[in-house]
Amino acid sequence: MGVPEIEDAALLFVFGYNGADSHPIVARRIVRAKQKGAKIICADPRIIETARIADMHLQLKGGTNLLLVNAIANTILEEGLTDEDFIEKHSNGYAEFKEIVKKYTPEGVSVQVGIPASDIRKAARMYATSGRSMILYGMGVCQFGQAVDVVKALANLTIMTGNLGRPSTGIGPVRGQNNVQGACDMGALPNVFPGYQAVTNPELRAKFEKAWGVKLPDQNGITLTVVPHQVLHEKDPTKQIHGYYIMGEDPVQSDPDSAEVRESLEKCDFVVMQDIFMNKTGQYADVILPATSWCEHEGVFSCCDRGFQRVRKILEPVGDLKTDWQIICEMSTAMGYPMKYNKTEEIWNEVIELCPGFYGATYQKIEKQGSVQWPCRDRSDADTGTVYLHKGGKFSNPDGKANFFATDWRPPQEVENKEYPLTLCTVREVGHYSVRTMSGNCRMLRNLEDEPGWLQISPRDAEKLGIKHQELVRVSSLRGSVITRANVTERVKKGAVYMTYQWWVGACNELTNANLDPISKTPEYKYCACKVEKLSDQKAAWEDVNKTLADLRKKMRVDVKREGVKA
Ligand SMILES: Nc1nc2c(c(=O)[nH]1)N[C@H]1C(S)=C(S)[C@@H](COP(=O)(O)OP(=O)(O)OC[C@H]3O[C@@H](n4cnc5c(=O)[nH]c(N)nc54)[C@H](O)[C@@H]3O)O[C@H]1N2
Ligand SMILES: Nc1nc2c(c(=O)[nH]1)N[C@H]1C(S)=C(S)[C@@H](COP(=O)(O)OP(=O)(O)OC[C@H]3O[C@@H](n4cnc5c(=O)[nH]c(N)nc54)[C@H](O)[C@@H]3O)O[C@H]1N2
Ligand SMILES: [Mo]
């Protein structure tokens, strides 16, 4: 499917996704869908903007996603709202699925999820009967120790109701960065070469070995989030990590449990950073390779709808800079494997030559169409790409059918307790971007919102702790402690507090828990136990904040003048 189709859904089920803050362009489509008469169900523990325009807001307790989704499936089954014809023709595993889901009645899960059973039933009916229901999900699904299971459980809903492979249906992961889809497409994953070709498949490996004239390892690599473990705790010397080449990532700011990340960077023998700005991780680098930014080079991005789009250079880089691809080529050449390309099109041609699913997406075709959605297997103009991956109910399994998948709910790893009675969830805000090297170096954005960030807390919790709106507070977990400002708001429920991970001083990853999903290895950023304390001497606390910030700015070489933080 494509992003514009959101507008024409009869029902949007927005699950753990805050488009208004994260993707304003997608959010516009959600608003237009509403204007065109779509029903909206929003499943989010906070009253986000989507909840405000929704027909139903399922304000679930954080960490209970699978209970809710299984209870919706249970209702659809029990009330006979399934598309039996679609299930029969296009799926496997229905009987096993029914067996597991049977246990999750809305009445049975209602207290844990914090939503009346009648609301769960109503949402299930609305989803199953609209005719064109589309699911959009985001980090409220992915950033849990049980994440992949929930994605599959949401996919179950699409299969059992036949909401797949047709316009304005399906399940849409509204991906993060502009090119995170592209990074995956190009094989920046530990288990696949470009085009999702498995590293462990001998035939595919042989193809790449022949093309590149090298011997390639037959084992999967590891993900970014397990690097600290491999540096600090791995006993097998062949698996220990001693050198770390970090490109376009700031793990000290963005990975969970910052203290552990810092310890692992300190222990590494050699750290290289390739970035467009200095960041927190750069302080641990032995070598820093400065690269050009998106408007200073050209290439191809993949949109979240699998569409390849060309990006063009609009500015000449200032100073002695190279593009990321030139740096990679020179590094490779210096290490004994000469890599030489004259322009990005030569690299792209090599990619599509080796990836059958991308083979037809030439620079010329992308130029002509504006976007080419893979798979596009043929170079002729007739193959314009694939809008619906599962058109006509055809799936990529060998038998062409979709697999139902069912499993039991697992609670988050670290739950609220006597010492840390609140739950901490970390999210995004509209004015700043991820580790804030880019938006934090922009004075206009910084003047909109600045350090040390905010803690969203319910009026009842704030009152109990004697905390007033805008006051500085201390937030602590088993792993660390930071200062931030209280944003006392009705948008969050009692017992749960929220921070955004943009801030260098109010850095929530000092607190988060590195519990990983077993498959995706994505950390449980959305749930850990914390406590919040009032700071009686606000003046001293502001001095502390400003001193920490001045020190960080010096280390990060941020020398743009800064005005207006009160002392
Ligand atoms: N302005 C801005 N935009 C960005 C970014 C940025 O940093 N700033 N980052 C980009 C990136 S990398 C990404 S990945 C995307 C992510 O964009 P989103 O997917 O919107 O990410 P979040 O805001 O982290 O989380 C989404 C929602 O999940 C909810 N949530 C928390 N716990 C639960 C739960 O247990 N169940 C459910 N159902 N929901 C829950 C939160 O309340 C939140 O509203 O945004 C991108 N866009
Ligand atoms: N607590 C908490 N932590 C989170 C999250 C959360 O919700 N909560 N979300 C997680 C998610 S979904 C994501 S995607 C990550 C994002 O975390 P990161 O990937 O670490 O953050 P970014 O700001 O996207 O960019 C990383 C670095 O890339 C640099 N950069 C930008 N453009 C270029 C370029 O063209 N070339 C090079 N070489 N460098 C460039 C930037 O200056 C920056 O230093 O954070 C994760 N961390
Ligand atoms: Mo992301």
Side-chain angles (χ1 to χ4, degrees), residues 15-19 21-23 43-46 48 60-65 138-140 143-144 176-177 425-434 498 501-502 526:
F15 201 104
Y17 170 57
N18 182 11
D21 280 9
S22 308
H23 302 126
D44 201 294
R46 296 184 300 159
I48 55 171
L60 75 172
K61 174 171 163 44
T64 63
N65 283 336
M139 293 303 119
Q143 293 177 337
F144 277 103
Q177 284 112 333
C425 174
T426 62
V427 293
R428 288 162 174 74
E429 63 185 75
V430 73
H432 282 282
Y433 193 79
S434 289
Y498 296 78
Y501 77 106
Q502 271 65 44
K526 294 281 185 272

mmCIF file of all heavy atoms in Angstrom, residues 15-19 21-23 43-46 48 60-65 138-140 143-144 176-177 425-434 498 501-502 526, ligand 1:
data_model
loop_
_atom_site.group_PDB
_atom_site.id
_atom_site.type_symbol
_atom_site.label_atom_id
_atom_site.label_comp_id
_atom_site.label_asym_id
_atom_site.label_seq_id
_atom_site.Cartn_x
_atom_site.Cartn_y
_atom_site.Cartn_z
ATOM 1 N N PHE A 15 -2.350 2.120 16.325
ATOM 2 C CA PHE A 15 -1.938 1.326 17.478
ATOM 3 C C PHE A 15 -0.496 1.673 17.886
ATOM 4 O O PHE A 15 0.454 1.367 17.168
ATOM 5 C CB PHE A 15 -2.029 -0.167 17.083
ATOM 6 C CG PHE A 15 -2.128 -1.092 18.258
ATOM 7 C CD1 PHE A 15 -3.337 -1.672 18.607
ATOM 8 C CD2 PHE A 15 -1.013 -1.375 19.028
ATOM 9 C CE1 PHE A 15 -3.431 -2.526 19.704
ATOM 10 C CE2 PHE A 15 -1.094 -2.221 20.126
ATOM 11 C CZ PHE A 15 -2.304 -2.804 20.462
ATOM 12 N N GLY A 16 -0.348 2.335 19.032
ATOM 13 C CA GLY A 16 1.010 2.657 19.514
ATOM 14 C C GLY A 16 1.777 3.509 18.536
ATOM 15 O O GLY A 16 2.966 3.297 18.318
ATOM 16 N N TYR A 17 1.103 4.477 17.955
ATOM 17 C CA TYR A 17 1.719 5.319 16.938
ATOM 18 C C TYR A 17 1.182 6.737 17.072
ATOM 19 O O TYR A 17 -0.024 6.947 17.033
ATOM 20 C CB TYR A 17 1.414 4.747 15.544
ATOM 21 C CG TYR A 17 1.797 5.678 14.423
ATOM 22 C CD1 TYR A 17 3.109 6.131 14.314
ATOM 23 C CD2 TYR A 17 0.867 6.119 13.481
ATOM 24 C CE1 TYR A 17 3.472 7.009 13.301
ATOM 25 C CE2 TYR A 17 1.217 6.987 12.471
ATOM 26 C CZ TYR A 17 2.528 7.427 12.389
ATOM 27 O OH TYR A 17 2.881 8.296 11.391
ATOM 28 N N ASN A 18 2.101 7.700 17.206
ATOM 29 C CA ASN A 18 1.716 9.092 17.457
ATOM 30 C C ASN A 18 2.103 9.969 16.264
ATOM 31 O O ASN A 18 3.052 10.754 16.334
ATOM 32 C CB ASN A 18 2.405 9.555 18.747
ATOM 33 C CG ASN A 18 2.033 10.969 19.126
ATOM 34 O OD1 ASN A 18 1.113 11.552 18.555
ATOM 35 N ND2 ASN A 18 2.748 11.515 20.088
ATOM 36 N N GLY A 19 1.374 9.801 15.170
ATOM 37 C CA GLY A 19 1.706 10.501 13.925
ATOM 38 C C GLY A 19 1.827 12.013 14.071
ATOM 39 O O GLY A 19 2.694 12.630 13.458
ATOM 40 N N ASP A 21 3.043 13.864 16.302
ATOM 41 C CA ASP A 21 4.387 14.275 16.716
ATOM 42 C C ASP A 21 5.464 13.691 15.808
ATOM 43 O O ASP A 21 6.485 14.328 15.560
ATOM 44 C CB ASP A 21 4.671 13.793 18.155
ATOM 45 C CG ASP A 21 4.032 14.706 19.199
ATOM 46 O OD1 ASP A 21 3.241 15.593 18.806
ATOM 47 O OD2 ASP A 21 4.312 14.527 20.396
ATOM 48 N N SER A 22 5.240 12.469 15.326
ATOM 49 C CA SER A 22 6.341 11.760 14.654
ATOM 50 C C SER A 22 6.365 11.956 13.149
ATOM 51 O O SER A 22 7.440 12.023 12.556
ATOM 52 C CB SER A 22 6.250 10.262 14.931
ATOM 53 O OG SER A 22 6.157 10.038 16.307
ATOM 54 N N HIS A 23 5.219 11.991 12.520
ATOM 55 C CA HIS A 23 5.163 12.115 11.059
ATOM 56 C C HIS A 23 4.003 13.031 10.684
ATOM 57 O O HIS A 23 2.934 12.559 10.281
ATOM 58 C CB HIS A 23 4.919 10.755 10.402
ATOM 59 C CG HIS A 23 5.930 9.703 10.721
ATOM 60 N ND1 HIS A 23 5.591 8.475 11.233
ATOM 61 C CD2 HIS A 23 7.282 9.677 10.585
ATOM 62 C CE1 HIS A 23 6.684 7.747 11.406
ATOM 63 N NE2 HIS A 23 7.725 8.452 11.023
ATOM 64 N N ALA A 43 -5.344 3.088 19.915
ATOM 65 C CA ALA A 43 -4.920 2.333 21.093
ATOM 66 C C ALA A 43 -3.614 2.927 21.585
ATOM 67 O O ALA A 43 -2.549 2.718 20.983
ATOM 68 C CB ALA A 43 -4.743 0.853 20.750
ATOM 69 N N ASP A 44 -3.679 3.713 22.636
ATOM 70 C CA ASP A 44 -2.488 4.383 23.170
ATOM 71 C C ASP A 44 -2.739 4.706 24.638
ATOM 72 O O ASP A 44 -3.834 5.152 24.993
ATOM 73 C CB ASP A 44 -2.220 5.680 22.381
ATOM 74 C CG ASP A 44 -0.780 6.148 22.509
ATOM 75 O OD1 ASP A 44 -0.366 6.528 23.641
ATOM 76 O OD2 ASP A 44 -0.051 6.128 21.502
ATOM 77 N N PRO A 45 -1.728 4.508 25.505
ATOM 78 C CA PRO A 45 -1.957 4.805 26.927
ATOM 79 C C PRO A 45 -2.094 6.299 27.221
ATOM 80 O O PRO A 45 -2.509 6.670 28.316
ATOM 81 C CB PRO A 45 -0.722 4.227 27.623
ATOM 82 C CG PRO A 45 0.274 3.942 26.565
ATOM 83 C CD PRO A 45 -0.435 3.868 25.266
ATOM 84 N N ARG A 46 -1.738 7.145 26.232
ATOM 85 C CA ARG A 46 -1.861 8.589 26.451
ATOM 86 C C ARG A 46 -2.965 9.174 25.573
ATOM 87 O O ARG A 46 -3.285 8.617 24.527
ATOM 88 C CB ARG A 46 -0.557 9.298 26.082
ATOM 89 C CG ARG A 46 0.628 8.916 26.936
ATOM 90 C CD ARG A 46 1.832 9.742 26.550
ATOM 91 N NE ARG A 46 2.204 9.548 25.141
ATOM 92 C CZ ARG A 46 2.928 10.394 24.435
ATOM 93 N NH1 ARG A 46 3.350 11.524 24.983
ATOM 94 N NH2 ARG A 46 3.239 10.125 23.178
ATOM 95 N N ILE A 48 -3.211 11.150 23.026
ATOM 96 C CA ILE A 48 -2.440 11.812 21.970
ATOM 97 C C ILE A 48 -3.421 12.501 21.018
ATOM 98 O O ILE A 48 -4.632 12.336 21.149
ATOM 99 C CB ILE A 48 -1.533 10.805 21.217
ATOM 100 C CG1 ILE A 48 -2.359 9.634 20.674
ATOM 101 C CG2 ILE A 48 -0.421 10.306 22.114
ATOM 102 C CD1 ILE A 48 -1.610 8.712 19.733
ATOM 103 N N LEU A 60 -5.184 1.910 26.944
ATOM 104 C CA LEU A 60 -4.716 0.714 27.653
ATOM 105 C C LEU A 60 -3.578 1.036 28.611
ATOM 106 O O LEU A 60 -2.871 2.032 28.436
ATOM 107 C CB LEU A 60 -4.279 -0.362 26.663
ATOM 108 C CG LEU A 60 -2.948 -0.227 25.900
ATOM 109 C CD1 LEU A 60 -2.668 -1.505 25.138
ATOM 110 C CD2 LEU A 60 -2.905 0.962 24.979
ATOM 111 N N LYS A 61 -3.362 0.183 29.576
ATOM 112 C CA LYS A 61 -2.182 0.302 30.430
ATOM 113 C C LYS A 61 -0.982 -0.121 29.595
ATOM 114 O O LYS A 61 -1.038 -1.113 28.865
ATOM 115 C CB LYS A 61 -2.317 -0.616 31.648
ATOM 116 C CG LYS A 61 -1.053 -0.645 32.510
ATOM 117 C CD LYS A 61 -1.274 -1.371 33.819
ATOM 118 C CE LYS A 61 0.036 -1.779 34.512
ATOM 119 N NZ LYS A 61 1.105 -0.801 34.565
ATOM 120 N N GLY A 62 0.130 0.652 29.672
ATOM 121 C CA GLY A 62 1.350 0.318 28.928
ATOM 122 C C GLY A 62 1.749 -1.128 29.183
ATOM 123 O O GLY A 62 1.555 -1.648 30.280
ATOM 124 N N GLY A 63 2.292 -1.777 28.152
ATOM 125 C CA GLY A 63 2.815 -3.135 28.316
ATOM 126 C C GLY A 63 1.778 -4.230 28.212
ATOM 127 O O GLY A 63 2.088 -5.397 28.468
ATOM 128 N N THR A 64 0.526 -3.879 27.824
ATOM 129 C CA THR A 64 -0.509 -4.925 27.757
ATOM 130 C C THR A 64 -0.988 -5.166 26.316
ATOM 131 O O THR A 64 -2.070 -5.729 26.107
ATOM 132 C CB THR A 64 -1.725 -4.583 28.646
ATOM 133 O OG1 THR A 64 -2.333 -3.372 28.159
ATOM 134 C CG2 THR A 64 -1.333 -4.398 30.091
ATOM 135 N N ASN A 65 -0.189 -4.760 25.336
ATOM 136 C CA ASN A 65 -0.615 -4.859 23.931
ATOM 137 C C ASN A 65 -1.181 -6.220 23.540
ATOM 138 O O ASN A 65 -2.242 -6.310 22.938
ATOM 139 C CB ASN A 65 0.567 -4.553 22.996
ATOM 140 C CG ASN A 65 0.857 -3.060 22.919
ATOM 141 O OD1 ASN A 65 -0.020 -2.248 23.176
ATOM 142 N ND2 ASN A 65 2.078 -2.717 22.580
ATOM 143 N N GLY A 138 3.274 1.731 15.457
ATOM 144 C CA GLY A 138 4.577 2.376 15.620
ATOM 145 C C GLY A 138 5.327 1.816 16.808
ATOM 146 O O GLY A 138 5.179 0.645 17.181
ATOM 147 N N MET A 139 6.096 2.687 17.438
ATOM 148 C CA MET A 139 7.028 2.243 18.473
ATOM 149 C C MET A 139 6.327 1.776 19.746
ATOM 150 O O MET A 139 6.930 1.094 20.560
ATOM 151 C CB MET A 139 8.027 3.364 18.785
ATOM 152 C CG MET A 139 8.962 3.655 17.631
ATOM 153 S SD MET A 139 9.875 2.198 17.112
ATOM 154 C CE MET A 139 9.320 2.031 15.439
ATOM 155 N N GLY A 140 5.045 2.126 19.900
ATOM 156 C CA GLY A 140 4.290 1.607 21.050
ATOM 157 C C GLY A 140 4.072 0.110 20.945
ATOM 158 O O GLY A 140 3.649 -0.542 21.897
ATOM 159 N N GLN A 143 8.800 -1.258 20.715
ATOM 160 C CA GLN A 143 9.826 -1.062 21.747
ATOM 161 C C GLN A 143 9.448 -1.735 23.060
ATOM 162 O O GLN A 143 9.338 -1.099 24.112
ATOM 163 C CB GLN A 143 10.091 0.434 21.915
ATOM 164 C CG GLN A 143 10.745 0.989 20.653
ATOM 165 C CD GLN A 143 10.987 2.478 20.678
ATOM 166 O OE1 GLN A 143 10.325 3.200 21.412
ATOM 167 N NE2 GLN A 143 11.923 2.945 19.875
ATOM 168 N N PHE A 144 9.248 -3.025 22.960
ATOM 169 C CA PHE A 144 8.964 -3.868 24.125
ATOM 170 C C PHE A 144 9.770 -5.159 24.015
ATOM 171 O O PHE A 144 10.164 -5.553 22.912
ATOM 172 C CB PHE A 144 7.470 -4.215 24.192
ATOM 173 C CG PHE A 144 6.638 -3.140 24.827
ATOM 174 C CD1 PHE A 144 5.869 -2.298 24.050
ATOM 175 C CD2 PHE A 144 6.637 -2.958 26.206
ATOM 176 C CE1 PHE A 144 5.116 -1.288 24.633
ATOM 177 C CE2 PHE A 144 5.880 -1.954 26.793
ATOM 178 C CZ PHE A 144 5.123 -1.116 26.012
ATOM 179 N N GLY A 176 10.520 4.690 10.963
ATOM 180 C CA GLY A 176 11.124 5.804 11.691
ATOM 181 C C GLY A 176 11.751 6.860 10.817
ATOM 182 O O GLY A 176 11.083 7.767 10.324
ATOM 183 N N GLN A 177 13.056 6.756 10.602
ATOM 184 C CA GLN A 177 13.749 7.777 9.835
ATOM 185 C C GLN A 177 13.356 7.716 8.371
ATOM 186 O O GLN A 177 12.839 6.712 7.890
ATOM 187 C CB GLN A 177 15.267 7.595 9.963
ATOM 188 C CG GLN A 177 15.787 8.079 11.290
ATOM 189 C CD GLN A 177 16.278 6.941 12.144
ATOM 190 O OE1 GLN A 177 15.827 5.816 12.019
ATOM 191 N NE2 GLN A 177 17.204 7.242 13.019
ATOM 192 N N CYS A 425 7.923 5.482 30.439
ATOM 193 C CA CYS A 425 7.825 5.168 29.016
ATOM 194 C C CYS A 425 8.493 6.318 28.274
ATOM 195 O O CYS A 425 8.366 7.474 28.675
ATOM 196 C CB CYS A 425 6.349 5.069 28.636
ATOM 197 S SG CYS A 425 6.055 4.850 26.876
ATOM 198 N N THR A 426 9.238 6.025 27.203
ATOM 199 C CA THR A 426 9.953 7.101 26.502
ATOM 200 C C THR A 426 9.470 7.206 25.065
ATOM 201 O O THR A 426 9.310 6.200 24.384
ATOM 202 C CB THR A 426 11.474 6.863 26.559
ATOM 203 O OG1 THR A 426 11.771 5.639 25.904
ATOM 204 C CG2 THR A 426 11.970 6.821 27.989
ATOM 205 N N VAL A 427 9.220 8.426 24.635
ATOM 206 C CA VAL A 427 8.552 8.678 23.352
ATOM 207 C C VAL A 427 9.231 9.833 22.606
ATOM 208 O O VAL A 427 10.372 10.166 22.889
ATOM 209 C CB VAL A 427 7.059 9.006 23.593
ATOM 210 C CG1 VAL A 427 6.319 7.790 24.124
ATOM 211 C CG2 VAL A 427 6.902 10.177 24.550
ATOM 212 N N ARG A 428 8.513 10.425 21.646
ATOM 213 C CA ARG A 428 9.039 11.535 20.851
ATOM 214 C C ARG A 428 8.232 12.805 21.049
ATOM 215 O O ARG A 428 7.104 12.760 21.498
ATOM 216 C CB ARG A 428 8.973 11.173 19.367
ATOM 217 C CG ARG A 428 9.980 10.162 19.050
ATOM 218 C CD ARG A 428 9.726 9.436 17.765
ATOM 219 N NE ARG A 428 10.883 8.593 17.567
ATOM 220 C CZ ARG A 428 11.103 7.487 18.263
ATOM 221 N NH1 ARG A 428 10.222 7.050 19.133
ATOM 222 N NH2 ARG A 428 12.218 6.801 18.084
ATOM 223 N N GLU A 429 8.828 13.917 20.650
ATOM 224 C CA GLU A 429 8.076 15.168 20.623
ATOM 225 C C GLU A 429 8.300 15.843 19.287
ATOM 226 O O GLU A 429 9.287 15.567 18.598
ATOM 227 C CB GLU A 429 8.487 16.064 21.779
ATOM 228 C CG GLU A 429 9.923 16.502 21.751
ATOM 229 C CD GLU A 429 10.270 17.274 23.005
ATOM 230 O OE1 GLU A 429 10.426 16.626 24.046
ATOM 231 O OE2 GLU A 429 10.360 18.520 22.932
ATOM 232 N N VAL A 430 7.395 16.760 18.936
ATOM 233 C CA VAL A 430 7.364 17.212 17.553
ATOM 234 C C VAL A 430 8.559 18.087 17.162
ATOM 235 O O VAL A 430 9.074 17.979 16.061
ATOM 236 C CB VAL A 430 6.009 17.908 17.233
ATOM 237 C CG1 VAL A 430 5.904 19.268 17.881
ATOM 238 C CG2 VAL A 430 5.793 18.011 15.740
ATOM 239 N N GLY A 431 9.061 18.903 18.067
ATOM 240 C CA GLY A 431 10.054 19.904 17.662
ATOM 241 C C GLY A 431 11.474 19.396 17.511
ATOM 242 O O GLY A 431 12.317 20.079 16.926
ATOM 243 N N HIS A 432 11.774 18.226 18.064
ATOM 244 C CA HIS A 432 13.164 17.764 18.015
ATOM 245 C C HIS A 432 13.274 16.342 17.505
ATOM 246 O O HIS A 432 12.332 15.564 17.576
ATOM 247 C CB HIS A 432 13.823 17.909 19.384
ATOM 248 C CG HIS A 432 14.209 19.332 19.646
ATOM 249 N ND1 HIS A 432 15.321 19.905 19.084
ATOM 250 C CD2 HIS A 432 13.595 20.308 20.350
ATOM 251 C CE1 HIS A 432 15.383 21.180 19.447
ATOM 252 N NE2 HIS A 432 14.347 21.447 20.214
ATOM 253 N N TYR A 433 14.479 16.044 16.980
ATOM 254 C CA TYR A 433 14.672 14.797 16.276
ATOM 255 C C TYR A 433 15.702 13.887 16.955
ATOM 256 O O TYR A 433 16.849 14.308 17.164
ATOM 257 C CB TYR A 433 15.095 15.084 14.820
ATOM 258 C CG TYR A 433 14.977 13.833 14.016
ATOM 259 C CD1 TYR A 433 13.729 13.418 13.549
ATOM 260 C CD2 TYR A 433 16.074 13.011 13.814
ATOM 261 C CE1 TYR A 433 13.594 12.223 12.891
ATOM 262 C CE2 TYR A 433 15.934 11.815 13.161
ATOM 263 C CZ TYR A 433 14.701 11.424 12.698
ATOM 264 O OH TYR A 433 14.564 10.236 12.060
ATOM 265 N N SER A 434 15.289 12.694 17.239
ATOM 266 C CA SER A 434 16.131 11.633 17.800
ATOM 267 C C SER A 434 17.228 12.171 18.716
ATOM 268 O O SER A 434 16.917 12.762 19.731
ATOM 269 C CB SER A 434 16.671 10.728 16.705
ATOM 270 O OG SER A 434 15.597 9.947 16.182
ATOM 271 N N TYR A 498 6.174 9.842 31.340
ATOM 272 C CA TYR A 498 6.712 9.786 29.976
ATOM 273 C C TYR A 498 7.796 10.831 29.790
ATOM 274 O O TYR A 498 7.641 11.980 30.198
ATOM 275 C CB TYR A 498 5.592 10.044 28.955
ATOM 276 C CG TYR A 498 4.532 8.968 28.987
ATOM 277 C CD1 TYR A 498 3.569 8.955 29.993
ATOM 278 C CD2 TYR A 498 4.516 7.944 28.041
ATOM 279 C CE1 TYR A 498 2.615 7.959 30.060
ATOM 280 C CE2 TYR A 498 3.565 6.936 28.102
ATOM 281 C CZ TYR A 498 2.618 6.944 29.109
ATOM 282 O OH TYR A 498 1.684 5.952 29.173
ATOM 283 N N TYR A 501 13.256 11.162 24.269
ATOM 284 C CA TYR A 501 14.680 10.779 24.351
ATOM 285 C C TYR A 501 15.603 11.746 23.626
ATOM 286 O O TYR A 501 16.734 11.438 23.343
ATOM 287 C CB TYR A 501 14.859 9.338 23.873
ATOM 288 C CG TYR A 501 14.820 9.122 22.391
ATOM 289 C CD1 TYR A 501 15.985 8.851 21.676
ATOM 290 C CD2 TYR A 501 13.622 9.161 21.696
ATOM 291 C CE1 TYR A 501 15.951 8.637 20.313
ATOM 292 C CE2 TYR A 501 13.587 8.948 20.331
ATOM 293 C CZ TYR A 501 14.758 8.687 19.645
ATOM 294 O OH TYR A 501 14.725 8.473 18.297
ATOM 295 N N GLN A 502 15.081 12.953 23.398
ATOM 296 C CA GLN A 502 15.825 13.955 22.658
ATOM 297 C C GLN A 502 16.877 14.704 23.484
ATOM 298 O O GLN A 502 17.788 15.293 22.933
ATOM 299 C CB GLN A 502 14.833 14.995 22.114
ATOM 300 C CG GLN A 502 14.237 14.699 20.766
ATOM 301 C CD GLN A 502 13.345 13.473 20.742
ATOM 302 O OE1 GLN A 502 12.536 13.260 21.608
ATOM 303 N NE2 GLN A 502 13.506 12.661 19.727
ATOM 304 N N LYS A 526 9.897 1.337 26.161
ATOM 305 C CA LYS A 526 8.581 1.829 26.559
ATOM 306 C C LYS A 526 8.172 1.382 27.957
ATOM 307 O O LYS A 526 7.035 1.623 28.351
ATOM 308 C CB LYS A 526 7.516 1.356 25.543
ATOM 309 C CG LYS A 526 7.674 1.950 24.148
ATOM 310 C CD LYS A 526 7.135 3.366 24.040
ATOM 311 C CE LYS A 526 7.176 3.922 22.632
ATOM 312 N NZ LYS A 526 8.462 4.597 22.313
HETATM 313 N N1 LIG B 1 9.614 15.028 15.734
HETATM 314 C C1 LIG B 1 10.154 13.808 15.625
HETATM 315 N N2 LIG B 1 9.685 12.937 14.695
HETATM 316 C C2 LIG B 1 10.212 11.690 14.608
HETATM 317 C C3 LIG B 1 11.295 11.279 15.434
HETATM 318 C C4 LIG B 1 11.774 12.228 16.409
HETATM 319 O O1 LIG B 1 12.694 11.938 17.186
HETATM 320 N N3 LIG B 1 11.170 13.459 16.477
HETATM 321 N N4 LIG B 1 11.820 10.009 15.331
HETATM 322 C C5 LIG B 1 11.497 9.209 14.133
HETATM 323 C C6 LIG B 1 11.703 7.775 14.432
HETATM 324 S S1 LIG B 1 13.297 7.187 14.468
HETATM 325 C C7 LIG B 1 10.666 6.908 14.641
HETATM 326 S S2 LIG B 1 10.989 5.243 14.907
HETATM 327 C C8 LIG B 1 9.266 7.356 14.601
HETATM 328 C C9 LIG B 1 8.451 6.748 15.767
HETATM 329 O O2 LIG B 1 7.188 7.316 15.862
HETATM 330 P P1 LIG B 1 6.080 6.674 16.879
HETATM 331 O O3 LIG B 1 5.856 5.267 16.502
HETATM 332 O O4 LIG B 1 4.922 7.601 16.896
HETATM 333 O O5 LIG B 1 6.904 6.681 18.274
HETATM 334 P P2 LIG B 1 6.731 7.048 19.816
HETATM 335 O O6 LIG B 1 6.315 8.470 20.014
HETATM 336 O O7 LIG B 1 7.975 6.635 20.456
HETATM 337 O O8 LIG B 1 5.583 6.069 20.356
HETATM 338 C C10 LIG B 1 4.316 6.011 19.818
HETATM 339 C C11 LIG B 1 3.237 5.903 20.851
HETATM 340 O O9 LIG B 1 3.297 4.660 21.557
HETATM 341 C C12 LIG B 1 2.593 4.856 22.757
HETATM 342 N N5 LIG B 1 2.781 3.729 23.693
HETATM 343 C C13 LIG B 1 3.601 3.603 24.746
HETATM 344 N N6 LIG B 1 3.429 2.423 25.374
HETATM 345 C C14 LIG B 1 2.455 1.765 24.697
HETATM 346 C C15 LIG B 1 1.805 0.495 24.867
HETATM 347 O O10 LIG B 1 2.084 -0.281 25.770
HETATM 348 N N7 LIG B 1 0.843 0.176 23.948
HETATM 349 C C16 LIG B 1 0.466 1.014 22.933
HETATM 350 N N8 LIG B 1 -0.488 0.603 22.115
HETATM 351 N N9 LIG B 1 1.053 2.217 22.780
HETATM 352 C C17 LIG B 1 2.035 2.582 23.627
HETATM 353 C C18 LIG B 1 3.109 6.193 23.249
HETATM 354 O O11 LIG B 1 2.231 6.794 24.168
HETATM 355 C C19 LIG B 1 3.253 6.976 21.940
HETATM 356 O O12 LIG B 1 2.177 7.869 21.757
HETATM 357 O O13 LIG B 1 9.205 8.784 14.656
HETATM 358 C C20 LIG B 1 10.047 9.425 13.690
HETATM 359 N N10 LIG B 1 9.692 10.821 13.686
#
